[in-house]
């Protein structure tokens, strides 16, 4: 998956009800030079936060999950996508790795777990994909 595909899929799934005006206002994504996790931080999408997010992540089905280093900052850009490392199967392993701007995405974007550069000041966040209207 490319960086562009990741961002487009993430916003399509987790921000499907967010208007372009809101994306711009809250600086969501590379287009607006902001972090995708602001979607959760700003309360635009319901999610688990902190220890509740860690617990929810620990119980999530991780078969087919991907881990993504995604930093949209103009200062420290970077993107890497790979299969979820066994060391990151539990929140404790993710915490101990001291990762920044780290997204773990469930198969088919069914959920996401996000660790920010802010550590416990912002996040981690866990969110199930909102149900799509048919």
């Amino acid at each position: 998956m490319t960086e562009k595909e990741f961002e487009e899929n993430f916003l399509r799934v987790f921000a499907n009800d967010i208007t372009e005006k809101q994306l711009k206002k809250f600086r969501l994504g590379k287009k607006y030079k902001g972090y995708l996790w602001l979607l959760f931080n700003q309360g635009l999408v319901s999610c688990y936060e902190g220890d509740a997010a860690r617990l929810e992540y620990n119980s999530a089905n991780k078969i087919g999950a991907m881990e993504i280093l995604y930093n949209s900052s103009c200062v420290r850009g970077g993107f890497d996508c790979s299969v979820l490392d066994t060391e990151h199967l539990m929140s404790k392993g993710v915490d101990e790795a001291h990762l920044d701007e780290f997204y773990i995405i469930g198969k088919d974007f069914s959920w996401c777990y996000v660790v920010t550069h802010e550590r416990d000041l912002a996040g981690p966040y866990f969110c199930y994909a909102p149900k799509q209207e048919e």
Side-chain angles (χ1 to χ4, degrees), residues 1-17:
M1 174 179 349
T2 67
E3 181 176 15
K4 182 179 179 183
E5 290 170 332
F6 167 68
E7 183 168 319
E8 287 173 354
N9 285 330
F10 185 92
L11 290 173
R12 178 183 50 78
V13 172
F14 297 102
N16 64 328
D17 290 334

Side-chain angles (χ1 to χ4, degrees), residues 1-132:
M1 174 179 349
T2 67
E3 181 176 15
K4 182 179 179 183
E5 290 170 332
F6 167 68
E7 183 168 319
E8 287 173 354
N9 285 330
F10 185 92
L11 290 173
R12 178 183 50 78
V13 172
F14 297 102
N16 64 328
D17 290 334
I18 307 302
T19 66
E20 191 69 26
K21 185 177 180 179
Q22 287 173 306
L23 293 175
K24 184 176 182 180
K25 177 182 177 183
F26 293 102
R27 298 181 57 210
L28 293 170
K30 201 166 203 131
K31 180 178 180 180
Y32 299 114
K33 298 183 176 145
Y35 298 104
L36 292 174
W37 55 261
L38 289 171
L39 183 69
F40 309 122
N41 180 263
Q42 296 298 314
L44 298 172
V45 173
S46 179
C47 68
Y48 296 90
E49 186 174 356
D51 287 338
R54 289 179 178 96
L55 289 172
E56 205 63 31
Y57 172 69
N58 289 343
S59 67
N61 179 350
K62 297 176 191 76
I63 295 172
M66 302 293 291
E67 60 181 42
I68 297 163
L69 170 65
Y70 176 80
N71 189 340
S72 63
S73 169
C74 293
V75 178
R76 300 180 307 150
F79 181 82
D80 184 49
C81 176
S82 59
V83 174
L84 181 60
D85 189 302
T86 57
E87 293 179 10
H88 303 144
L89 287 173
M90 300 299 280
S91 62
K92 182 178 180 187
V94 175
D95 289 346
E96 290 173 349
H98 301 288
L99 299 162
D100 291 336
E101 307 312 317
F102 191 68
Y103 293 68
I104 300 174
I105 303 294
K107 183 179 179 182
D108 300 328
F109 281 73
S110 57
W111 55 263
C112 71
Y113 181 67
V114 183
V115 177
T116 74
H117 67 275
E118 302 268 347
R119 305 285 174 201
D120 283 331
L121 296 175
Y125 301 103
F126 183 94
C127 181
Y128 289 104
K131 299 286 186 217
Q132 302 290 324

